[in-house]
Every structure is written in C-alpha cells, then in structure tokens.
Amino acid sequence: MQTVYLDNNATTRPAPEVVEAMMPFMTDLWGNPSSMHAFGGQVAKHVEAARATVADFLGAERPEEIVFNGCATEGDNHALFGVAAAWGKPGTIITSRVEHPAVLGPCLRLREMGHNVIEIGVDGEGLFDMAAYEAALAANPGPKLVSVMWANNETGVLFPIRRIAELGKAAGATVHTDAVQAAGKAPIDLRQVPVDLLTIAGHKMHAPKGIGALYIRRGTRIKPYVIGGHQERGRRGGTENVPYIVAMGKAAELAQTALTDGTEARIARLRDKLEAGLLATCPDSRVNGSRTQRVPNTLNISFEYIEGESVLYHLSDRGICASSGSACAAGSLEPSHVIRAMGVPFTAVHGSIRFSLSRYTTEEEIDYVLRHCPEVVAEMRALSPFVKH
Ligand code: PLP
C-alpha cells in the first residue's frame, strides 16, 4: 500500500540535501565550536555560515540576530518569558485565542505570575480582530508584549503581521511572532515587517526535529531563557547542536528557492485541486478558515455529522496521513481551541480534518486521496446516528 503523507504542518520529511549537508558533522567534524583548538574551531565557521543563511532567509539585518535553539516551543518560551523578565515588573501580553500551545502555555504561566494577558479573538474565517487589538493596545499603558502568530497551524490562515507589528511598535510594545507555519510557505522579510522577535522550527521546513531559531532584533530588551554557558553570545546556554544547525541553514536555503521558483505555486494548485475535489464529491463539507488569506499548503475541511478521528483512522488504513482538529481531553474528543474560536457550527466541529502538503506532494497522491476520501466519508456517514438514512 502506498503512503500519502499530507501532515506536513505536523512535521516534514528531512530533505535529502539537508541530510547530506549535516552528515560530515556526525562523522568527522564533531568538535565543539567553542573550543580554542583548531579541531573545534573549524566547526564554528559552519555554524556561522548557517546563521548567515537563516538571517538572509528572514531578511534580518545581521546574522547575530539569529539565536539557534532546540525547538519552536523553546523559541516561543524564550520570547515570552525573556521579555517579561527584562521588564522586572508586571506588564501586558497581547496574544490571540488561536495561538499554538507553545505560546498559550507560557501566557497562562505569565498570568499566574501577575501579568495581564489579553487574548484577541478571530472571526468565522479565522481572521484576526484588528479593532479589538487596537483597543487593547490603547487601553494598556506600561510595558507591553504582543505575541501573534504569522500563520495558523490548523487552518493555515495568515494574520496581517506587518500591520499588527506596526501598530504594536507605534504603541510602544515589543512584538513577537510565531512564524513556524509561515516559514518557507509565505515570504518573510524582516526589513518590511517590524517585529522584534520571530520563532521558526527546522522540522516544519525539511530539516530534522530538535532545531529551531529565535530572531532577536538588535536592541530588543530580553533575558536568556536557557541559562548556562556563553554560547549564542550569552543568549542561549548549551553546546550548539552543530549538525542540526548546519541542517537548518541548508533547509533555509532550499526554502528560499522554493518560494521563488514556482514550487509554492505548484503546491497551492494541488491543494486547490484537493479542496475543489472534496467539496464536489463529499456533500455537507465546508472549508474552515479564509480561502484567500491562507498559506498555500494547508486545507482544513469539515465533513459534517461525522467524527474527524474516525475519518483519520480509515484514511490511515488506506495509507493516507492527515490530522484532525480535535484533541483528546479527559477521555472525550474536544474540538480544538482554533476551531472553537472560529465558531464553526456544531455539526461540523468534530469532523474537521487538516491536509497539509509539501514540495514532495505529487499530483498522483492528490488523485489517490480524491479516490479514497469520499469513499471513507460515505462509509462513516452510513453509520452516523446524526444523518437521516
Ligand atoms: N508554533 C506553531 C505554530 C506550531 O505549529 C508548532 C508545532 O506544531 C510549534 C509552535 C511547536 O513546535 P515544536 O513542537 O517543534 O516545538
């Protein structure tokens, strides 16, 4: 049976070029980049080359603004706790209701620590409530941190991050964005978007799991989060993961190419074919999230009256990997906070499925899903107590 992997917002296949680039650092070039001797020192220049490539990919002014870390969760935690620690007093954190738990979790803790946390809502298409955001900025004097994602992991919906950053900066806030799901899918240019902090993760852009980066704009007041040695110019303790840093550099270079050589446009065409095909062949289905303000690889679709989990299970039996918009909580299937925040109708919340493509997705794979998914949906509906038979 063939495997059709359409769960690229969860993790991506490490690109063969990336694996090849990192291998020498697992075999011969295994020195510590902080060592004084030449054996370690020769490795440091590869770390710096990767830093320069990632900086270039993001449009950062200087390579030193890139801090390598262990994952996006760490980058988000560093941004939130690091800025609040630098305040040294209670402040306001403005975020959105549809952030990843890597942001919402720290926000919860910051609230317990005495900070004022404001969650901005979204409309039925998952679009950011700009008026509520402007009101929150105006109503809260004192230190402020804005943390709003660039693209949503479940729906792919893009937030107007440039405008959000401009308004935040004008109100005196430090601005962070979790760009994990935007990197490599939408152009990111920090010369145009005045955020102070930006999180990315290697494994969402064809590097391995276990590497991420936090961009810290020069002059941003932030304390370290992982405290230890002087690595990463004192901003993140811990011996650098050299092979994975090199991998991240290579992945950034490949992502940059994919954004300009028509690859992303091809992915969008395949996603649109999948979307149109499913809407046409599965009655009572609806797309969740804006269809215009969206990254090119993501489709979140609800099949009404059935459970997303059962659909996933049966798709998996046919070799198709996707994911659902629900999470197992306390033994019951709760619709995700993102789907809930959008006010998706009751009949559709439980049947939401996310298909996420990558540059390795082929037309044949999309055709395979279009043959099998409607069949699965029909089978599930035949068993559903909510459907009139
Ligand atoms: N932020 C977003 C938007 C994500 O989609 C993810 C992972 O799904 C993360 C943060 C966390 O990434 P990691 O698990 O690699 O730390």
Side-chain angles (χ1 to χ4, degrees):
M1 185 176 58
Q2 83 181 102
T3 299
V4 176
Y5 187 79
L6 295 182
D7 200 11
N8 288 280
N9 287 9
T11 200
T12 56
R13 169 188 168 180
E17 300 91 325
V18 165
V19 176
E20 194 187 321
M22 68 187 264
M23 279 322 272
F25 301 89
M26 308 279 263
T27 51
D28 299 332
L29 295 167
W30 47 264
N32 187 330
S34 299
S35 295
M36 292 302 286
H37 46 72
F39 181 68
Q42 65 180 331
V43 167
K45 64 177 188 292
H46 294 279
V47 170
E48 293 319 309
R51 198 186 305 284
T53 309
V54 172
D56 206 43
F57 169 61
L58 298 175
E61 201 186 320
R62 295 153 183 258
E64 304 82 70
E65 294 175 316
I66 306 301
V67 175
F68 289 115
N69 55 28
C71 59
T73 301
E74 184 190 324
D76 287 341
N77 274 259
H78 185 179
L80 288 147
F81 288 118
V83 168
W87 291 337
K89 60 178 180 183
T92 299
I93 294 109
I94 303 174
T95 187
S96 87
R97 206 166 283 163
V98 295
E99 297 296 311
H100 189 272
V103 166
L104 291 178
C107 282
L108 204 65
R109 177 67 65 83
L110 287 162
R111 183 176 281 152
E112 285 165 12
M113 290 162 66
H115 297 281
N116 173 29
V117 176
I118 300 170
E119 288 181 6
I120 305 297
V122 295
D123 68 9
E125 294 207 318
L127 299 170
F128 188 70
D129 185 344
M130 212 58 166
Y133 172 58
E134 289 190 56
L137 284 173
N140 289 281
K144 279 187 285 297
L145 169 65
V146 171
S147 181
V148 174
M149 67 203 323
W150 196 307
N152 188 272
N153 44 302
E154 292 191 26
T155 59
V157 168
L158 286 158
F159 281 167
I161 202 67
R162 180 177 178 167
R163 188 77 192 121
I164 289 169
E166 284 167 354
L167 290 169
K169 295 305 295 170
T174 301
V175 181
H176 166 245
T177 185
D178 176 332
V180 168
Q181 297 291 348
K185 300 171 189 167
I188 294 179
D189 187 354
L190 289 163
R191 287 164 295 231
Q192 307 288 329
V193 179
V195 295
D196 302 295
L197 300 152
L198 176 144
T199 303
I200 55 172
H203 75 106
K204 311 286 187 181
M205 45 189 280
H206 303 289
K209 293 159 233 0
I211 180 71
L214 179 66
Y215 160 80
I216 304 179
R217 194 179 288 274
R218 194 159 58 105
T220 304
R221 290 188 58 222
I222 181 167
K223 296 223 172 172
Y225 177 67
V226 176
I227 302 164
H230 55 268
Q231 292 90 353
E232 298 298 278
R233 294 170 179 81
R235 288 175 302 181
R236 199 266 186 180
T239 303
E240 293 89 343
N241 186 349
V242 178
Y244 283 38
I245 288 174
V246 170
M248 180 99 177
K250 189 67 187 177
E253 182 192 314
L254 297 174
Q256 185 66 41
T257 306
L259 280 168
T260 47
D261 71 356
T263 302
E264 289 305 314
R266 187 185 70 82
I267 295 172
R269 191 181 62 72
L270 290 181
R271 188 271 315 272
D272 293 346
K273 176 175 179 176
L274 178 64
E275 176 176 288
L278 291 178
L279 288 173
T281 53
C282 304
D284 296 321
S285 53
R286 67 193 299 279
V287 174
N288 296 313
S290 165
R291 292 165 76 177
T292 53
Q293 309 298 307
R294 190 172 47 160
V295 287
N297 82 317
T298 307
L299 166 63
N300 189 309
I301 187 164
S302 280
F303 303 111
E304 295 196 63
Y305 313 115
I306 50 179
E307 290 283 358
E309 267 63 29
S310 335
V311 176
L312 280 189
Y313 186 73
H314 286 83
L315 287 178
S316 176
D317 273 353
R318 288 159 169 86
I320 300 167
C321 312
S323 90
S324 84
S326 307
C328 257
S332 69
L333 283 174
E334 283 295 319
S336 86
H337 65 290
V338 176
I339 300 296
R340 270 202 318 262
M342 290 164 57
V344 172
F346 171 78
T347 48
V349 281
H350 290 283
S352 112
I353 301 281
R354 178 187 71 188
F355 295 101
S356 47
L357 289 64
S358 82
R359 60 176 177 263
Y360 297 111
T361 306
T362 64
E363 183 120 30
E364 290 69 38
E365 290 177 324
I366 296 301
D367 291 339
Y368 180 85
V369 178
L370 286 173
R371 277 199 305 282
H372 288 278
C373 189
E375 210 174 271
V376 166
V377 170
E379 276 171 29
M380 299 287 93
R381 291 239 172 96
L383 300 171
S384 170
F386 300 110
V387 179
K388 287 201 186 81
H389 299 291

